[in-house]
Amino acid sequence: MIILETNGLKKYYGEGESLVKALDGVDLKVEQGEFVSIVGTSGSGKSTLLHMLGGLDYPTEGKVLVDGKDISSLKEDALAIFRRRKIGFVFQSYNLVPVLNVFENIVFPIQLDGNQIDHGYVDKIIKTLGLETKTDSLPSQLSGGQQQRVAIARALAAKPAIILADEPTGNLDSGTSQDVLGLLKVTARKFEQTIVMITHNEEIAQLADRMIRIEDGKIVTESREGKA
């Protein structure tokens, strides 16, 4: 089942001689439960693509479909609600609420939406990510790797259609990066989650089921399990 799809996706900035084609006709399909990495250098368009996929910005042309819904046609209020309910985010900077403890950070998006917390499900996520002894800790009391685990747990807890990870290991050392990405892959499979990860690190990108390379706003190559 296709859970995420783009059709002729374009994002242009400026006009005339100043025109920048950040995305120039991207067609992408992601299956439910798939872990896809999108790799590219700075300025390749990968971050712009993530913003389009997550409904953080509107395309100049084309469509973005998440769980069958064309989010590029939604108005801002409706898009914000859809994004909160259907899309989980894991950012490089963690984006945890400093005054909330680990457990409160994990369930915060669920409470924000007025939904009941599935405590059994959340407990499984916490245990899988090795956070059971840290639930009462504040973000400032955690290492970078632990904070990123909390961010992953928060993204999983709301049971979104897709999880978008933006350079999730950018602030971590290489060893911790491997640990966090390994956990991300394990949890995605265990909880049948779909993940699209943006990264400039090819070694990290190859941990995904499928690696997509983007250059000058276009998809240029694809490979599976690190193989062409």
Side-chain angles (χ1 to χ4, degrees):
M1 175 183 170
I2 302 297
I3 197 73
L4 175 64
E5 183 176 358
T6 69
N7 296 319
L9 194 64
K10 297 181 180 180
K11 182 64 176 180
Y12 294 171
Y13 298 98
E15 56 185 30
E17 292 183 2
S18 301
L19 181 68
V20 175
K21 297 181 178 181
L23 294 177
D24 194 21
V26 172
D27 295 312
L28 174 66
K29 291 183 180 181
V30 178
E31 297 274 353
Q32 186 171 14
E34 194 176 12
F35 181 10
V36 176
S37 63
I38 299 174
V39 65
T41 58
S42 178
S44 61
K46 63 184 188 301
S47 294
T48 302
L49 178 57
L50 186 88
H51 290 163
M52 298 296 117
L53 299 179
L56 298 173
D57 196 2
Y58 288 96
T60 303
E61 191 177 310
K63 293 183 178 181
V64 178
L65 293 97
V66 178
D67 202 15
K69 185 77 172 180
D70 179 8
I71 67 170
S72 46
S73 66
L74 295 177
K75 293 185 178 179
E76 284 191 19
D77 289 348
L79 180 58
I81 292 170
F82 184 89
R83 191 167 56 227
R84 191 168 67 237
R85 294 176 177 173
K86 291 287 188 176
I87 304 172
F89 292 94
V90 180
F91 295 103
Q92 178 178 341
S93 55
Y94 321 132
N95 284 15
L96 303 179
V97 182
V99 296
L100 300 182
N101 66 29
V102 165
F103 182 80
E104 291 166 340
N105 264 287
I106 291 170
V107 301
F108 182 62
I110 302 170
Q111 294 177 319
L112 194 65
D113 210 29
N115 291 328
Q116 291 292 318
I117 299 167
D118 184 341
H119 285 276
Y121 181 73
V122 172
D123 287 346
K124 285 180 183 177
I125 293 170
I126 288 170
K127 187 175 181 180
T128 300
L129 288 165
L131 293 168
E132 56 266 66
T133 64
K134 301 293 183 181
T135 53
D136 294 326
S137 300
L138 293 173
S140 60
Q141 298 170 312
L142 305 177
S143 68
Q146 289 168 336
Q147 289 186 64
Q148 197 58 293
R149 291 185 193 190
V150 176
I152 293 168
R154 180 183 57 191
L156 286 164
K159 302 179 182 178
I162 60 170
I163 290 176
L164 301 178
D166 186 7
E167 297 280 6
T169 61
N171 287 334
L172 307 176
D173 61 54
S174 58
T176 307
S177 294
Q178 293 284 343
D179 291 343
V180 166
L181 260 295
L183 283 168
L184 187 62
K185 190 169 184 176
V186 166
T187 51
R189 287 183 173 170
K190 183 172 183 176
F191 299 106
E192 299 179 334
Q193 266 297 338
T194 306
I195 296 178
V196 177
M197 176 181 68
I198 301 293
T199 182
H200 68 278
N201 187 323
E202 292 203 24
E203 186 178 352
I204 292 296
Q206 289 175 5
L207 293 173
D209 302 323
R210 178 161 55 116
M211 183 173 76
I212 295 170
R213 184 181 303 280
I214 186 169
E215 291 178 11
D216 299 323
K218 297 179 180 181
I219 292 174
V220 292
T221 60
E222 292 192 34
S223 59
R224 291 189 177 274
E225 295 290 351
K227 298 178 180 178

